[in-house]
Amino acid sequence: MKFPMGRARTFARIVRVLASAILLLAGLPACSEKPTDPILRSIAGNVVLRGYFIDVNGRPAGTRVIGDADGVKVDLVRSGRIIASTTTVDGSYLFTGLPTGVYNALTVNLGGIHDTTAALTIAVRSVAVADTLRMYSRGDLYPVPNPFVDSTVVYLEVPDTVFVTITIRDLAGRVVRSVAAAEMEPGLRSVTWDGRDDDGAIAPGTIHWMVYESGDDLRAHLLFR
């Protein structure tokens, strides 16, 4: 069958368009195929704090271990870089939406006191961390009394004439009150904290860190109220 010249050209264009459409459709996945998202997992663990009680006469009165603290800051590290941060609820932390890989969880560094987990590998399942993060009071700071109601006097030994900073921090590491920032002479010294923040308001929470810093001399103790 022969077509007039104009109709033949139109028919050829239609054939070419149909051929291009068929080739395009052949390269597409079937409608039932969907892109596969990576499987995301989680890391969950616990933090334990430990401090010391001292009575009004300056005598040791026992140890307090806290496994249900709220607000302790925990960072998640991958390849040497912090990729997420959270705070504890009832002593537990949780990171979600994590791809496969190797991680570490670590606490904020307070006066040289900090802890980190061993390597945490996410392969097939989420990770429940058996390696509890621990932060224990350490160094020459002696709060009398501890716990306290209105105020506590903290005694400390200064080895040389040095510049000292002493701060009160919450469990996330944020400075609540600057207690001292001055040169101190050697010997037994003391500072007082009245339970208030830098604005004069009562500091929120019942557990705080007192952090002493002087060069490499780092100390931190839990204060209870």
Side-chain angles (χ1 to χ4, degrees):
M1 179 184 297
K2 293 184 179 180
F3 293 98
M5 184 62 68
R7 292 185 180 181
R9 290 174 179 171
T10 300
F11 181 75
R13 283 198 296 271
I14 293 173
V15 170
R16 288 197 296 271
V17 170
L18 288 175
S20 298
I22 292 171
L23 290 175
L24 179 61
L25 291 173
L28 293 175
C31 293
S32 60
E33 295 180 8
K34 297 180 179 179
T36 302
D37 293 330
I39 298 176
L40 301 179
R41 306 298 188 187
S42 63
I43 289 176
N46 300 292
V47 178
V48 170
L49 309 176
R50 185 174 71 188
Y52 304 100
F53 288 160
I54 299 171
D55 67 21
V56 294
N57 298 310
R59 293 189 296 260
T63 300
R64 182 180 178 186
V65 177
I66 307 163
D68 60 353
D70 293 333
V72 181
K73 184 183 178 185
V74 180
D75 294 324
L76 188 67
V77 174
R78 183 177 185 183
S79 300
R81 183 172 63 90
I82 295 175
I83 62 168
S85 298
T86 190
T87 55
T88 57
V89 176
D90 290 331
S92 299
Y93 61 89
L94 175 66
F95 295 100
T96 60
L98 303 175
T100 58
V102 180
Y103 302 85
N104 292 88
L106 67 154
T107 63
V108 62
N109 190 333
L110 292 171
I113 296 176
H114 61 102
D115 196 12
T116 182
T117 63
L120 308 171
T121 302
I122 294 180
V124 178
R125 299 180 179 85
S126 295
V127 175
V129 183
D131 187 6
T132 298
L133 292 169
R134 304 177 188 277
M135 297 185 72
Y136 295 165
S137 295
R138 187 191 74 181
D140 175 24
L141 295 174
Y142 205 75
V144 180
N146 193 34
F148 66 96
V149 177
D150 297 317
S151 65
T152 185
V153 179
V154 180
Y155 297 91
L156 53 122
E157 190 75 29
V158 179
D160 297 297
T161 300
V162 291
F163 189 86
V164 172
T165 61
I166 300 175
T167 53
I168 305 297
R169 299 175 182 247
D170 65 15
L171 296 184
R174 296 181 291 257
V175 174
V176 172
R177 177 78 173 270
S178 178
V179 177
E183 187 173 84
M184 291 188 178
E185 296 181 353
L188 181 64
R189 303 289 171 231
S190 66
V191 295
T192 300
W193 184 44
D194 60 4
R196 296 180 179 273
D197 62 19
D198 278 330
D199 294 325
I202 296 176
T206 60
I207 305 172
H208 295 84
W209 287 98
M210 173 171 274
V211 177
Y212 170 106
E213 298 173 282
S214 180
D216 294 331
D217 187 357
L218 304 174
R219 318 171 194 177
H221 271 247
L222 284 171
L223 301 180
F224 306 112
R225 187 174 52 178

